[in-house]
Amino acid sequence: MSESKLAGQFFDAAIGLLQRVRDEEAGNVAAAGTAIADTVAAGGRLFAFGAGHSSLAAQDVVYRAGGLALMNLLAVPGTVGVDVTPATLGSALERVDGLAGAVLDSSPAKPGDVLVVISLSGRNSLPVEMAMNARALGLKVIGVTSLAYTSGTKSRHVSGTFLRDHCDIVLDSKIAIGDAELTHPAIEAPFAPASTVVTSALMQATMAAAAESLADRGIEPPLLRSGNVDGGHEWNGRVLEEYGDRIFFRR
């Protein structure tokens, strides 16, 4: 069977983006990892939020084999994925003012905790207000977004600001506006989005940096193991029990 030229081009594009974020965002990734490690060491809690497909990268670090057990998903009903019907409702909810505040007020997040807000464009009301309100509550906010949108699009929030404007640390995914890496003369629309690949890599790199920072302090990172390896369930049971007061995905 012959190889697909476009499939190879997508891999090349994704690899190029990964190399860029590895090299250009190294300092920010290290800072984000340190912030997470500081919170873990101080007895704080960790939360991740994303709407629509940006939620995929948030979900990927929650209750994850090889991941930090303390990372919790801060979910906004109707925006977590395409399981809501109609799927377009999730996109509409991202533009609703006041929703983020209601979610945060009813969440277990407290001052000193960390919230990672993931939004490719960073222009919709929900991620902007999530970051704004979290900082007002005393949380440290890490934003994962594409800075290209801040110069090539307009904010949909009443303030005219983007997610990047309300974060303590920003990780730039380098994704181009439109999130489509490929074109073809016979295909009218651009296609092959790479934001999930790159954003998930940024999140996992940040978790690795946090684990390293904790280990450097002599603190054992509270990591989960795969339940599909011998002893994994027993290991996870001990971790989940020890840190149960900071883990909310079991309640």
Side-chain angles (χ1 to χ4, degrees):
M1 183 178 295
S2 61
E3 296 181 2
S4 167
K5 184 181 298 184
L6 288 176
Q9 289 177 3
F10 175 77
F11 281 117
D12 290 341
I15 290 168
L17 285 164
L18 290 170
Q19 290 175 329
R20 282 192 64 195
V21 297
R22 179 196 63 191
D23 297 339
E24 298 174 19
E25 296 301 304
N28 293 326
V29 168
T34 297
I36 289 172
D38 289 344
T39 301
V40 172
R45 289 82 59 83
L46 310 173
F47 299 90
F49 163 78
H53 285 91
S54 290
S55 178
L56 295 174
Q59 294 179 60
D60 192 44
V61 294
V62 176
Y63 188 50
R64 187 71 163 87
L68 289 173
L70 306 189
M71 185 61 72
N72 301 278
L73 184 68
L74 187 64
V76 177
T79 70
V80 175
V82 295
D83 56 327
V84 63
T85 303
T88 51
L89 175 61
S91 297
L93 289 174
E94 289 187 61
R95 305 178 189 182
V96 174
D97 295 333
L99 186 55
V103 170
L104 274 171
D105 288 344
S106 60
S107 78
K110 296 181 179 180
D113 293 345
V114 163
L115 172 61
V116 182
V117 179
I118 304 169
S119 174
L120 176 61
S121 71
R123 67 190 297 231
N124 289 314
S125 293
L126 184 54
V128 172
E129 290 187 355
M130 191 66 76
M132 291 176 67
N133 291 358
R135 290 184 88 186
L137 289 172
L139 278 72
K140 176 159 283 190
V141 177
I142 299 169
V144 186
T145 187
S146 170
L147 297 186
Y149 280 83
T150 63
S151 58
T153 67
K154 293 182 179 179
S155 170
R156 290 186 174 129
H157 188 254
V158 64
S159 67
T161 60
F162 287 78
L163 168 61
R164 68 167 294 177
D165 300 312
H166 307 284
C167 298
D168 298 285
I169 302 167
V170 175
L171 306 181
D172 181 11
S173 65
K174 318 293 181 182
I175 300 294
I177 296 173
D179 191 18
E181 294 299 319
L182 302 182
T183 59
H184 188 280
I187 301 174
E188 187 171 349
F191 54 99
S195 61
T196 303
V197 173
V198 177
T199 305
S200 291
L202 275 169
M203 290 296 292
Q204 294 297 347
T206 299
M207 297 303 109
E212 181 180 24
S213 182
L214 287 167
D216 287 345
R217 308 175 199 198
I219 300 173
E220 179 69 26
L223 296 170
L224 296 172
R225 292 191 176 191
S226 172
N228 295 314
V229 299
D230 292 343
H233 284 300
E234 292 76 13
W235 172 281
N236 292 340
R238 290 192 297 271
V239 172
L240 294 175
E241 181 177 359
E242 181 177 353
Y243 294 93
D245 61 332
R246 293 191 263 172
I247 296 171
F248 304 101
F249 49 77
R250 303 179 72 203
R251 303 178 184 179

